[in-house]
Amino acid sequence: MAFTKKILVRFDDVDFARVVYFPKLFGYCHQVFEDFFAEAVGVPYSQMLQKRKVGYPSVHAQADFKHPLRFGDVARISMETIKLSPKSITNRYQLFLNDTATLCSEVEIVTVPIDMDTFKARQVPEDVRLAFLNHLTGLTV
């Protein structure tokens, strides 16, 4: 089951062509990722980084752009975990035009948990792993 949020496209999100500037789409995905920690893990993302000292940098990202999002649109973003290993999380984000079936973008991002003090890779914490496991599409663990 996908974790879903809605984000309003703001004026400063669009470029000269009057569509969402592509890096902003990655920002939208990260907002959903952050919200997931508070709502599904039970730990706000800021506390995960600052108190638990576990960061989640992106190590790979790819995107396909299919339909523009414009100022005033609502992006409905669904996040599914498509791969979960002991040391990485791969999520697929699908950005839809509001409540329609119009797929605007599909983004895949691999994150790796790190120790914030040493910047060394570490295992996915168990509570985080269980939360992402609940959103696994059945592809790979």
Side-chain angles (χ1 to χ4, degrees), residues 26 58-64 90-91 93 106-111:
F26 286 97
S58 299
V59 297
H60 176 77
Q62 63 187 39
D64 290 313
T90 304
N91 289 313
Y93 301 82
E106 191 166 66
V107 178
E108 189 175 302
I109 301 174
V110 180
T111 57

Side-chain angles (χ1 to χ4, degrees), residues 1-137:
M1 173 178 68
F3 177 79
T4 303
K5 299 297 281 186
K6 290 182 178 180
I7 295 175
L8 177 65
V9 175
R10 305 277 181 180
F11 179 76
D12 67 341
D13 293 341
V14 300
D15 59 17
F16 188 70
R18 297 177 296 173
V19 297
V20 172
Y21 184 45
F22 75 93
K24 290 285 192 171
L25 297 173
F26 286 97
Y28 291 170
C29 294
H30 199 272
Q31 286 179 32
V32 172
F33 185 77
E34 287 184 34
D35 289 348
F36 178 84
F37 277 82
E39 294 179 34
V41 179
V43 179
Y45 194 66
S46 60
Q47 286 183 16
M48 182 63 65
L49 274 66
Q50 296 169 2
K51 291 186 179 172
R52 289 185 55 182
K53 304 280 189 176
V54 183
Y56 295 86
S58 299
V59 297
H60 176 77
Q62 63 187 39
D64 290 313
F65 307 104
K66 301 177 180 295
H67 186 274
L69 284 165
R70 293 181 170 85
F71 173 53
D73 287 343
V74 173
R76 179 174 45 91
I77 305 169
S78 69
M79 181 188 80
E80 298 176 303
T81 302
I82 59 173
K83 184 176 180 186
L84 185 60
S85 75
K87 289 194 172 185
S88 71
I89 304 162
T90 304
N91 289 313
R92 176 181 33 214
Y93 301 82
Q94 292 181 306
L95 292 81
F96 296 93
L97 181 59
N98 202 356
D99 290 324
T100 72
T102 302
L103 180 62
C104 299
S105 301
E106 191 166 66
V107 178
E108 189 175 302
I109 301 174
V110 180
T111 57
V112 173
I114 62 166
D115 179 293
M116 291 297 293
D117 290 329
T118 65
F119 277 70
K120 302 281 186 205
R122 56 157 294 164
Q123 296 235 338
V124 177
E126 186 62 16
D127 58 337
V128 174
R129 189 186 74 76
L130 289 172
F132 280 103
L133 192 60
N134 286 332
H135 297 278
L136 188 68
T137 62

